[in-house]
Amino acid sequence: KQEVTQIPAALSVPEGENLVLNCSFTDSAIYNLQWFRQDPGKGLTSLLLIQSSQREQTSGRLNASLDKSSGRSTLYIAASQPGDSATYLCAVQRNAGNMLTFGGGTRLMVKP
Amino acid sequence: GAVVSQHPSWVICKSGTSVKIECRSLDFQATTMFWYRQFPKQSLMLMATSNEGSKATYEQGVEKDKFLINHASLTLSTLTVTSAHPEDSSFYICSGGSGDTQYFGPGTRLTVL
């Protein structure tokens, strides 16, 4: 059974710092991996999706990498801002059209 | 991207009552939809897979008679929480697939008094 772990569970940083969020998964047979943002009491916002054949994806200040063989992904946030404060979730999908298995999330607080 | 809606966005009900949550794919058809549950400060956990025209598949530990799922059309799946109790209070999120991507609804917050 796939298990997804995110480290750290919580992170507090001053504004402007570059930071890395980590995600690991136990079964490397994935179709894709996705990073989401969730604000308190809200739904999910998809940030980046990496197909299993890809190594990384970038969107603005966000960069996500994928090392499928080692079961790891990282989300890099450059020049963090208070508006980045949220919970970040990674999730893996085994096959197209299948359910997603989520990690426990990293709660990020960026202080002004 | 494709859009998935949920209704209601939040609901408060008395213990013992039933609550129906709708999940609609607005601009695509989904033969399969997924229902997740998220307790406070926890991640999303899959509850069940909703299959159009057939019975839903439930994850271990999820009571099928308590959480009734109906997927009568390619754009609508409903989750009914029967005889709700305070421990059912949670954030319920659905998703539907279009191509390679799963699209998530905005979620429904259920509070059972």
Side-chain angles (χ1 to χ4, degrees):
Chain A
K1 181 182 178 181
Q2 179 73 272
E3 293 184 2
V4 182
T5 303
Q6 289 186 246
I7 296 173
L11 183 62
S12 180
V13 300
E15 181 177 6
E17 276 202 7
N18 302 323
L19 48 98
V20 175
L21 307 183
N22 297 292
C23 173
S24 62
F25 45 96
T26 55
D27 186 350
S28 62
I30 64 169
Y31 182 72
N32 61 39
L33 181 145
Q34 198 163 0
W35 284 91
F36 295 89
R37 169 185 173 138
Q38 186 177 31
D39 292 289
K42 303 294 184 182
L44 305 179
T45 299
S46 178
L47 299 174
L48 292 164
L49 184 149
I50 311 176
Q51 300 291 353
S52 62
S53 59
Q54 298 175 324
R55 298 286 292 183
E56 66 176 348
Q57 284 286 334
T58 298
S59 177
R61 293 182 294 109
L62 305 179
N63 175 277
S65 67
L66 173 64
D67 185 341
K68 182 181 168 183
S69 60
S70 67
R72 295 180 180 179
S73 176
T74 60
L75 178 66
Y76 177 82
I77 303 177
S80 59
Q81 303 171 358
D84 295 330
S85 299
T87 295
Y88 291 81
L89 297 164
C90 76
V92 297
Q93 188 177 36
R94 183 174 179 83
N95 294 302
N98 270 23
M99 57 167 277
L100 272 65
T101 301
F102 286 84
T106 294
R107 291 188 297 280
L108 174 64
M109 172 71 72
V110 181
K111 300 178 180 178
Chain B
V3 178
V4 174
S5 70
Q6 280 185 243
H7 178 80
S9 57
W10 58 270
V11 57
I12 302 173
C13 69
K14 293 181 178 180
S15 184
T17 60
S18 293
V19 175
K20 179 185 285 189
I21 303 170
E22 293 185 349
C23 175
R24 292 181 184 273
S25 55
L26 300 185
D27 49 5
F28 67 97
Q29 294 182 331
T31 56
T32 301
M33 288 183 169
F34 300 98
W35 286 96
Y36 298 82
R37 180 168 54 184
Q38 185 180 34
F39 291 109
K41 296 188 177 182
Q42 295 186 27
S43 192
L44 281 74
M45 296 296 292
L46 181 70
M47 295 177 64
T49 302
S50 174
N51 304 298
E52 188 268 336
S54 64
K55 293 182 179 181
T57 305
Y58 291 83
E59 294 300 298
Q60 189 173 7
V62 178
E63 301 175 54
K64 63 179 182 180
D65 295 330
K66 181 173 181 62
F67 299 97
L68 302 180
I69 291 174
N70 184 282
H71 195 153
S73 78
L74 289 171
T75 59
L76 173 64
S77 175
T78 61
L79 169 68
T80 301
V81 184
T82 62
S83 186
H85 288 93
E87 57 264 32
D88 298 323
S89 298
S90 187
F91 194 54
Y92 293 85
I93 304 179
C94 68
S95 74
S98 179
D100 292 344
T101 304
Q102 284 290 313
Y103 296 96
F104 285 81
T108 297
R109 181 159 303 283
L110 170 64
T111 301
V112 185
L113 303 177

